[in-house]
Amino acid sequence: MSNMVRQAGAGLRLMLVLTVLAGVLYPLAVWSVSRLPGLENKAEGSIVYVNGQPVGSAEIGVDLTPADPRHDPWFHTRPSGTAGEPLGPGDPSTSGASNLAADNPKLVQLVQERRDAIAQREGVPADQVPPDAVTASASGLDPAISPAYAYLQISRVARENGLSEQQVRQLVDGQVQGRALGVLGEPTVNVLALNVAVQQLVHP
């Protein structure tokens, strides 16, 4: 009986130690690291605020598909792999790639449909539509587009917002982010930041 009591006591002490370590100290350490300068914003979801109100996350691309296709004042993100139609809208609560091979007939057809739809929307030949405009990212929620895709949308965004193309071009120029460390990746433009800049220009 005494042996069972000792074993029960040892088990209870071990449970208490592990509870403190894994249930209190470890979460507290992770939370403390997340408060370090440069990490706090990312830990909180990289929320973008305008006039004190949250308007989205800088790390999640949400395509603002207009209710009326005749009035489309927004810059668009890359298409989502979760979209039920060629250009969305996708579901930002889920993410995932299509997992279709590059030569899969279904993907080839989908890419062509996207290219034709974007060319019609922007009023340009289909061969001017850049690759990132018609291909979904691995997550399907990429927040950034190539400068080429941003520049392609300038005429429409300027027209729909009553701005000059030069004004909108300057906004795009100011939002282009270079390669990481100067050599990694490609230049990008954050779509949410760009749309916020457009809105602030229209409604200062």
Side-chain angles (χ1 to χ4, degrees):
M1 185 68 177
S2 60
N3 188 42
M4 292 181 59
V5 171
R6 286 196 299 273
Q7 290 181 350
L12 180 61
R13 289 193 296 272
L14 180 60
M15 183 186 71
L16 291 175
V17 169
L18 291 177
T19 298
V20 171
L21 289 176
V24 179
L25 296 182
Y26 176 73
L28 183 60
V30 172
W31 180 86
S32 298
V33 170
S34 74
R35 300 300 98 184
L36 292 175
L39 296 180
E40 183 173 359
N41 183 49
K42 292 183 180 296
E44 295 298 328
S46 300
I47 303 300
V48 175
Y49 292 87
V50 176
N51 298 326
Q53 298 297 319
V55 296
S57 168
E59 303 299 330
I60 299 177
V62 178
D63 202 19
L64 300 175
T65 303
D68 183 356
R70 295 171 298 178
H71 178 60
D72 186 1
W74 307 108
F75 280 92
H76 290 281
T77 63
R78 297 176 65 182
S80 170
T82 63
E85 55 186 89
L87 292 179
D91 181 1
S93 67
T94 61
S95 65
S98 67
N99 292 328
L100 298 176
D103 60 351
N104 184 287
K106 181 178 179 180
L107 180 60
V108 172
Q109 179 182 353
L110 183 59
V111 167
Q112 186 59 53
E113 290 175 356
R114 289 170 177 166
R115 180 176 288 110
D116 292 341
I118 292 172
Q120 181 178 16
R121 185 185 71 200
E122 306 302 337
V124 299
D127 60 5
Q128 291 187 17
V129 178
D132 68 302
V134 297
T135 54
S137 63
S139 68
L141 300 175
D142 196 329
I145 58 177
S146 67
Y149 189 24
Y151 288 125
L152 183 73
Q153 302 181 64
I154 286 177
S155 294
R156 172 182 51 79
V157 172
R159 181 179 65 252
E160 296 293 335
N161 286 286
L163 301 170
S164 71
E165 291 191 19
Q166 181 61 27
Q167 286 177 300
V168 180
R169 182 173 296 275
Q170 289 176 347
L171 292 181
V172 174
D173 290 342
Q175 293 293 335
V176 174
Q177 302 173 7
R179 293 178 172 86
L181 302 178
V183 295
L184 300 178
E186 296 293 332
T188 59
V189 177
N190 186 283
V191 176
L192 176 60
L194 187 54
N195 281 328
V196 168
V198 170
Q199 283 299 96
Q200 289 178 333
L201 188 60
V202 175
H203 303 291

